[in-house]
Structure formats: C-alpha cells, structure tokens
Amino acid sequence: MYKIMIVEDDQTIAEIIDEKLSSWGYQTYRAENYQNILGEFTQSAPHLVLLDINLPFYDGFYWCSRIRELSNVPIIIISSRDSDSDKIRGIVQGGDDYLEKPFSMELLIAKVQAALRRAYAYQDQSLNVLQYRDLILDPERQVVFVGDHEIELTPNESKILAVLIRNQEKTVSRAYLMKALWDDQSFVDDNTLTVNVNRLRKKLAEAGLDHYIKTVKGEGYVLK
C-alpha cells in the first residue's frame, strides 16, 4: 500500500484530501510539526508528498528543496498561487507536478496515480537515511542534516554515527566500532578511533548537538 504524506496547514482541506485518498486505498500521513517537516518526512517515509506552498515558518518551496536533498520521492505541489513564476519555482525546487487550488478530487487522484506509476512501476525508490531525534544522516552522501545545518562528514565519521544510530541508547564498545571501521586492516592505533569520535563530536556541536555522543568509561560510546 502506498503511503502519502499531506503537508497542508488548512485542516479542512487536509481532512478532505485525507478522506479521498483513504477511500482510494492509500495510507495517509498528515504533517503536524511545520518547523520540522523534514523530520516528519523521514519518520513517515512516504511514497509521495502533497505539499502546500503557504505554510507556517518555512514555505513549501523550502521544504521541497530540503526533501530533494534526501530523496527522489514524487512531490506534487498544491497551492492557491497561480502565477507562472510560482509554478516554475516549484518545479525548479524539485516538484514533479503542480496543482492549483481549488481543484477537483478526481484530478488530484489522477495526478497521484500518474506520479506513483512513473516513480515505482519499474524501480525501488525507498528512502535510505538514518534518524535520531532532530539528526538525519545520509550515509551514502556522508551528510548530516540538523534543522538548517548541513554537515559534511568523513567516511569514518559517517560510519561511526551510523553504528551509533543503529544502536541508539545502547552502549557500543570501542572494539565493535574498531571492527566496523577497520575490519580489513591488521593494526590500527586505538587512539585513531578517539580522534575520529572527537572530530564527529565537534562537527555535531556546531549544529547545537554537543551532548549527543556520551562516553561510557571503560566500555565505549552511546548516543543519548
């Protein structure tokens, strides 16, 4: 079953869209935190996003480009803005289609079906990111997203963070991390791991996450 994320702050419109999509057999998710749409996107992992432009805090153009940094999931922009410049901007920012309000539910369903067919008929578009609280890690690109911050990591820093997220709130031993990072090398100085963890901590601190990685004395590290 395809899951569709509805980013619409007009609750009446959101409810009407939700009911129509549900009646067609789609699973729906309605965004609630308009300051953290990217976080809700990664948590809900939808197959398609319906995205309004006029939103609290940041507009839909902003969130469209942020989602595009992580995923190729289809995005249909729904807006009362009808100028060509808005439509062009929506497409340039990563939108796949643009639907002007007011619109018929039948037209919306037709566009949703077409977008899903184009995206998933012949390929897997699953999201491949890891998330812990406000932190999102894209292991493939070795980039961390925290609010407005985008932090580039080294391959080793990305691996360390990925292991900690996959074992979040559990102590990960130094031996386990050493094996995950340098399994193919016969000898690596134990201090090298400490240096990499400290560099990762420093980068996270620049985004306000200076206490996420805790040291468990004599054992290893834990993400809290």
Side-chain angles (χ1 to χ4, degrees):
M1 177 187 295
Y2 288 116
K3 181 189 290 184
I4 299 176
M5 181 179 184
I6 304 168
V7 186
E8 168 62 77
D9 64 325
D10 185 317
Q11 296 307 307
T12 300
I13 295 176
E15 185 173 347
I16 293 172
I17 294 174
D18 192 340
E19 290 179 355
K20 187 66 176 180
L21 291 172
S22 298
S23 71
W24 274 79
Y26 295 110
Q27 183 179 357
T28 59
Y29 176 83
R30 286 164 61 175
E32 297 178 351
N33 184 355
Y34 295 98
Q35 287 183 290
N36 188 24
I37 294 298
L38 195 62
E40 294 210 20
F41 171 77
T42 57
Q43 287 183 333
S44 60
H47 296 92
L48 182 145
V49 178
L50 295 176
L51 179 62
D52 189 19
I53 293 299
N54 297 321
L55 297 171
F57 307 106
Y58 298 98
D59 63 23
F61 296 127
Y62 171 82
W63 291 119
C64 188
S65 62
R66 296 303 308 274
I67 291 172
R68 274 291 167 264
E69 294 173 355
L70 297 176
S71 171
N72 290 323
V73 66
I75 300 174
I76 298 177
I77 295 173
I78 50 176
S79 176
S80 57
R81 299 188 188 185
D82 59 359
S83 69
D84 285 346
S85 61
D86 284 319
K87 296 176 184 176
I88 292 170
R89 186 180 177 189
I91 300 302
V92 169
Q93 296 288 78
D96 295 280
D97 205 342
Y98 197 104
L99 191 56
E100 291 179 27
K101 295 178 183 176
F103 51 80
S104 71
M105 287 296 111
E106 287 69 25
L107 179 57
L108 173 66
I109 293 297
K111 285 183 174 288
V112 166
Q113 290 175 327
L116 290 172
R117 185 170 57 248
R118 288 194 298 269
Y120 301 108
Y122 304 109
Q123 56 184 324
D124 179 10
Q125 296 278 358
S126 57
L127 185 61
N128 184 28
V129 297
L130 298 171
Q131 181 173 16
Y132 179 72
R133 296 183 183 174
D134 297 332
L135 180 157
I136 298 169
L137 170 65
D138 184 338
E140 185 174 340
R141 294 175 53 203
Q142 297 159 15
V143 174
V144 166
F145 300 91
V146 182
D148 295 335
H149 297 274
E150 182 174 331
I151 307 167
E152 293 186 5
L153 304 180
T154 66
N156 283 342
E157 292 164 357
S158 179
K159 288 179 182 177
I160 292 170
L161 188 56
V163 171
L164 293 176
I165 292 175
R166 291 190 177 104
N167 296 274
Q168 52 190 262
E169 301 189 2
K170 298 178 183 176
T171 299
V172 179
S173 70
R174 291 180 60 85
Y176 187 93
L177 281 171
M178 294 280 287
K179 184 175 178 59
L181 268 67
W182 299 291
D183 188 42
D184 59 340
Q185 297 186 26
S186 58
F187 175 78
V188 175
D189 187 345
D190 185 67
N191 187 56
T192 304
L193 176 61
T194 303
V195 171
N196 277 271
V197 170
N198 288 339
R199 286 176 178 167
L200 175 59
R201 279 176 165 152
K202 185 177 180 180
K203 290 184 178 180
L204 295 181
E206 293 173 358
L209 306 181
D210 49 342
H211 301 298
Y212 265 35
I213 301 177
K214 305 286 187 183
T215 298
V216 181
K217 192 173 180 179
E219 297 185 37
Y221 303 97
V222 60
L223 199 61
K224 281 191 173 180

